[in-house]
Amino acid sequence: DYRTDFLTGVAASPESKKELAKLEEKISAGADFIQTQPIFSMKVLEEFLDMTEHISIPKIIGIMPLKNRKMIDYIEKNLGHISIPENIKNRMEGAGLEEGLKIAKEFVKDILTIKKVAGIHIFPMNRLSIVPEIISVKDDY
């Protein structure tokens, strides 16, 4: 017998005000969990969690470590549903992946304090070797 149990996840764009209606439709169709697009701001995360407070399925938050300023420019030009706060842009000015990892780890630490969050999805952007460093922050808890 080769039975398995699958869970159905749905994507969410936390910064889209139109997202709630779409999300509720996906959930009524049988979604088991929500996975967000990358988030770079606690304010955006808190607003998303407030907006979806009535939704009881698990919420997995997307994290994408920034590689450099060029990556920020690409995100802003091509991914209009994702915003990056000015303080993050300033920190990445002239910086590289090391600073991007530091920012990601700080954000993960903050997220780990929020009970409404079921987990974190790391977008490593073809750099799988960075994942252990990012998740190492969980050892502090």
Side-chain angles (χ1 to χ4, degrees):
D1 189 8
Y2 294 102
R3 270 197 251 162
T4 63
D5 290 324
F6 289 97
L7 297 175
T8 303
V10 295
S13 296
E15 298 186 60
S16 171
K17 300 305 173 201
K18 300 178 206 170
E19 183 65 22
L20 186 58
K22 283 186 197 175
L23 202 49
E24 289 171 338
E25 191 175 317
K26 293 174 185 179
I27 290 161
S28 68
D32 296 302
F33 67 93
I34 298 167
Q35 184 170 304
T36 73
Q37 295 295 325
I39 298 177
F40 294 92
S41 156
M42 282 302 288
K43 181 178 185 277
V44 168
L45 175 56
E46 289 165 355
E47 288 173 357
F48 175 73
L49 293 173
D50 288 345
M51 177 179 75
T52 59
E53 192 163 4
H54 65 287
I55 298 173
S56 62
I57 64 174
K59 297 165 186 112
I60 300 170
I61 307 307
I63 301 289
M64 182 188 297
L66 297 165
K67 187 172 160 183
N68 51 35
R69 180 58 202 227
K70 186 177 175 183
M71 184 177 181
I72 293 172
D73 295 341
Y74 177 86
I75 290 169
E76 289 184 325
K77 182 178 178 187
N78 298 291
L79 305 172
H81 60 283
I82 299 173
S83 68
I84 300 173
E86 285 301 316
N87 67 321
I88 301 294
K89 291 180 198 177
N90 293 339
R91 285 180 65 181
M92 288 303 295
E93 201 62 50
L97 180 59
E98 187 176 314
E99 185 67 15
L101 288 171
K102 187 175 176 184
I103 292 166
K105 288 167 68 173
E106 290 167 7
F107 197 44
V108 168
K109 281 183 182 182
D110 289 342
I111 292 171
L112 289 173
T113 66
I114 302 172
K115 296 200 183 315
K116 297 177 190 176
V117 172
I120 296 171
H121 169 220
I122 299 168
F123 291 77
M125 307 306 291
N126 294 321
R127 296 170 304 208
L128 293 176
S129 62
I130 67 174
V131 173
E133 182 175 347
I134 295 169
I135 64 172
S136 70
V137 301
K138 73 176 177 26
D139 296 335
D140 297 340
Y141 289 86

mmCIF file of all heavy atoms in Angstrom, residues 70-87:
data_model
loop_
_atom_site.group_PDB
_atom_site.id
_atom_site.type_symbol
_atom_site.label_atom_id
_atom_site.label_comp_id
_atom_site.label_asym_id
_atom_site.label_seq_id
_atom_site.Cartn_x
_atom_site.Cartn_y
_atom_site.Cartn_z
ATOM 1 N N LYS A 70 22.071 45.364 -6.604
ATOM 2 C CA LYS A 70 21.538 45.013 -7.925
ATOM 3 C C LYS A 70 20.312 44.101 -7.791
ATOM 4 O O LYS A 70 19.337 44.237 -8.530
ATOM 5 C CB LYS A 70 22.641 44.338 -8.749
ATOM 6 C CG LYS A 70 22.283 44.061 -10.173
ATOM 7 C CD LYS A 70 23.480 43.451 -10.899
ATOM 8 C CE LYS A 70 23.090 43.043 -12.300
ATOM 9 N NZ LYS A 70 24.201 42.393 -12.996
ATOM 10 N N MET A 71 20.337 43.210 -6.831
ATOM 11 C CA MET A 71 19.202 42.323 -6.584
ATOM 12 C C MET A 71 17.984 43.129 -6.117
ATOM 13 O O MET A 71 16.851 42.854 -6.524
ATOM 14 C CB MET A 71 19.570 41.255 -5.552
ATOM 15 C CG MET A 71 18.496 40.240 -5.297
ATOM 16 S SD MET A 71 19.109 38.999 -4.116
ATOM 17 C CE MET A 71 17.683 37.935 -4.014
ATOM 18 N N ILE A 72 18.205 44.117 -5.271
ATOM 19 C CA ILE A 72 17.119 44.988 -4.815
ATOM 20 C C ILE A 72 16.511 45.715 -6.008
ATOM 21 O O ILE A 72 15.287 45.788 -6.154
ATOM 22 C CB ILE A 72 17.616 45.992 -3.754
ATOM 23 C CG1 ILE A 72 18.002 45.256 -2.471
ATOM 24 C CG2 ILE A 72 16.558 47.064 -3.476
ATOM 25 C CD1 ILE A 72 18.681 46.122 -1.440
ATOM 26 N N ASP A 73 17.364 46.253 -6.872
ATOM 27 C CA ASP A 73 16.882 46.968 -8.056
ATOM 28 C C ASP A 73 16.043 46.041 -8.930
ATOM 29 O O ASP A 73 14.993 46.437 -9.445
ATOM 30 C CB ASP A 73 18.050 47.546 -8.856
ATOM 31 C CG ASP A 73 18.807 48.624 -8.091
ATOM 32 O OD1 ASP A 73 18.243 49.186 -7.121
ATOM 33 O OD2 ASP A 73 19.974 48.890 -8.447
ATOM 34 N N TYR A 74 16.481 44.797 -9.084
ATOM 35 C CA TYR A 74 15.728 43.823 -9.884
ATOM 36 C C TYR A 74 14.352 43.556 -9.257
ATOM 37 O O TYR A 74 13.339 43.555 -9.953
ATOM 38 C CB TYR A 74 16.508 42.510 -10.011
ATOM 39 C CG TYR A 74 15.719 41.467 -10.769
ATOM 40 C CD1 TYR A 74 15.773 41.418 -12.153
ATOM 41 C CD2 TYR A 74 14.899 40.564 -10.093
ATOM 42 C CE1 TYR A 74 15.022 40.484 -12.860
ATOM 43 C CE2 TYR A 74 14.146 39.632 -10.792
ATOM 44 C CZ TYR A 74 14.213 39.605 -12.172
ATOM 45 O OH TYR A 74 13.460 38.682 -12.861
ATOM 46 N N ILE A 75 14.332 43.342 -7.959
ATOM 47 C CA ILE A 75 13.063 43.079 -7.260
ATOM 48 C C ILE A 75 12.111 44.256 -7.444
ATOM 49 O O ILE A 75 10.941 44.072 -7.765
ATOM 50 C CB ILE A 75 13.314 42.778 -5.765
ATOM 51 C CG1 ILE A 75 13.997 41.418 -5.601
ATOM 52 C CG2 ILE A 75 12.002 42.821 -4.970
ATOM 53 C CD1 ILE A 75 14.528 41.142 -4.203
ATOM 54 N N GLU A 76 12.625 45.453 -7.246
ATOM 55 C CA GLU A 76 11.772 46.635 -7.360
ATOM 56 C C GLU A 76 11.256 46.839 -8.785
ATOM 57 O O GLU A 76 10.124 47.263 -8.986
ATOM 58 C CB GLU A 76 12.515 47.877 -6.874
ATOM 59 C CG GLU A 76 12.697 47.851 -5.370
ATOM 60 C CD GLU A 76 13.338 49.109 -4.830
ATOM 61 O OE1 GLU A 76 14.211 49.710 -5.512
ATOM 62 O OE2 GLU A 76 12.963 49.496 -3.716
ATOM 63 N N LYS A 77 12.062 46.520 -9.762
ATOM 64 C CA LYS A 77 11.667 46.711 -11.168
ATOM 65 C C LYS A 77 10.697 45.625 -11.635
ATOM 66 O O LYS A 77 9.772 45.907 -12.393
ATOM 67 C CB LYS A 77 12.909 46.717 -12.056
ATOM 68 C CG LYS A 77 12.607 46.949 -13.516
ATOM 69 C CD LYS A 77 13.862 46.983 -14.347
ATOM 70 C CE LYS A 77 13.496 47.180 -15.819
ATOM 71 N NZ LYS A 77 14.640 47.055 -16.685
ATOM 72 N N ASN A 78 10.905 44.394 -11.196
ATOM 73 C CA ASN A 78 10.176 43.256 -11.766
ATOM 74 C C ASN A 78 9.153 42.598 -10.847
ATOM 75 O O ASN A 78 8.325 41.825 -11.320
ATOM 76 C CB ASN A 78 11.176 42.196 -12.234
ATOM 77 C CG ASN A 78 12.077 42.730 -13.306
ATOM 78 O OD1 ASN A 78 11.641 42.996 -14.416
ATOM 79 N ND2 ASN A 78 13.345 42.931 -12.973
ATOM 80 N N LEU A 79 9.231 42.840 -9.554
ATOM 81 C CA LEU A 79 8.336 42.175 -8.607
ATOM 82 C C LEU A 79 7.609 43.238 -7.783
ATOM 83 O O LEU A 79 7.889 43.427 -6.604
ATOM 84 C CB LEU A 79 9.124 41.215 -7.703
ATOM 85 C CG LEU A 79 9.969 40.163 -8.430
ATOM 86 C CD1 LEU A 79 10.845 39.411 -7.457
ATOM 87 C CD2 LEU A 79 9.092 39.214 -9.227
ATOM 88 N N GLY A 80 6.676 43.912 -8.403
ATOM 89 C CA GLY A 80 5.980 45.029 -7.783
ATOM 90 C C GLY A 80 5.209 44.676 -6.525
ATOM 91 O O GLY A 80 4.868 45.553 -5.737
ATOM 92 N N HIS A 81 4.952 43.393 -6.299
ATOM 93 C CA HIS A 81 4.212 42.972 -5.113
ATOM 94 C C HIS A 81 5.119 42.797 -3.893
ATOM 95 O O HIS A 81 4.649 42.419 -2.830
ATOM 96 C CB HIS A 81 3.454 41.673 -5.407
ATOM 97 C CG HIS A 81 4.352 40.543 -5.810
ATOM 98 N ND1 HIS A 81 4.896 40.438 -7.056
ATOM 99 C CD2 HIS A 81 4.800 39.482 -5.107
ATOM 100 C CE1 HIS A 81 5.652 39.347 -7.113
ATOM 101 N NE2 HIS A 81 5.615 38.754 -5.942
ATOM 102 N N ILE A 82 6.412 43.080 -4.065
ATOM 103 C CA ILE A 82 7.369 42.964 -2.965
ATOM 104 C C ILE A 82 8.068 44.310 -2.790
ATOM 105 O O ILE A 82 8.593 44.868 -3.751
ATOM 106 C CB ILE A 82 8.426 41.878 -3.262
ATOM 107 C CG1 ILE A 82 7.760 40.507 -3.421
ATOM 108 C CG2 ILE A 82 9.487 41.842 -2.169
ATOM 109 C CD1 ILE A 82 8.712 39.419 -3.886
ATOM 110 N N SER A 83 8.074 44.816 -1.556
ATOM 111 C CA SER A 83 8.783 46.067 -1.295
ATOM 112 C C SER A 83 9.902 45.831 -0.288
ATOM 113 O O SER A 83 9.823 44.926 0.542
ATOM 114 C CB SER A 83 7.826 47.150 -0.786
ATOM 115 O OG SER A 83 7.357 46.811 0.491
ATOM 116 N N ILE A 84 10.911 46.650 -0.410
ATOM 117 C CA ILE A 84 12.061 46.555 0.484
ATOM 118 C C ILE A 84 12.205 47.907 1.186
ATOM 119 O O ILE A 84 12.325 48.943 0.526
ATOM 120 C CB ILE A 84 13.339 46.180 -0.293
ATOM 121 C CG1 ILE A 84 13.117 44.825 -0.982
ATOM 122 C CG2 ILE A 84 14.549 46.155 0.633
ATOM 123 C CD1 ILE A 84 14.213 44.408 -1.918
ATOM 124 N N PRO A 85 12.180 47.904 2.521
ATOM 125 C CA PRO A 85 12.260 49.172 3.270
ATOM 126 C C PRO A 85 13.571 49.917 3.026
ATOM 127 O O PRO A 85 14.609 49.312 2.742
ATOM 128 C CB PRO A 85 12.165 48.725 4.732
ATOM 129 C CG PRO A 85 11.656 47.338 4.708
ATOM 130 C CD PRO A 85 12.055 46.752 3.390
ATOM 131 N N GLU A 86 13.500 51.232 3.178
ATOM 132 C CA GLU A 86 14.672 52.082 2.961
ATOM 133 C C GLU A 86 15.852 51.683 3.847
ATOM 134 O O GLU A 86 16.995 51.709 3.399
ATOM 135 C CB GLU A 86 14.318 53.556 3.202
ATOM 136 C CG GLU A 86 13.500 54.177 2.096
ATOM 137 C CD GLU A 86 14.165 54.137 0.730
ATOM 138 O OE1 GLU A 86 15.388 54.427 0.623
ATOM 139 O OE2 GLU A 86 13.466 53.804 -0.248
ATOM 140 N N ASN A 87 15.583 51.326 5.106
ATOM 141 C CA ASN A 87 16.709 50.975 5.986
ATOM 142 C C ASN A 87 17.457 49.739 5.479
ATOM 143 O O ASN A 87 18.677 49.650 5.618
ATOM 144 C CB ASN A 87 16.247 50.803 7.437
ATOM 145 C CG ASN A 87 15.335 49.612 7.633
ATOM 146 O OD1 ASN A 87 14.469 49.315 6.798
ATOM 147 N ND2 ASN A 87 15.495 48.930 8.749
#
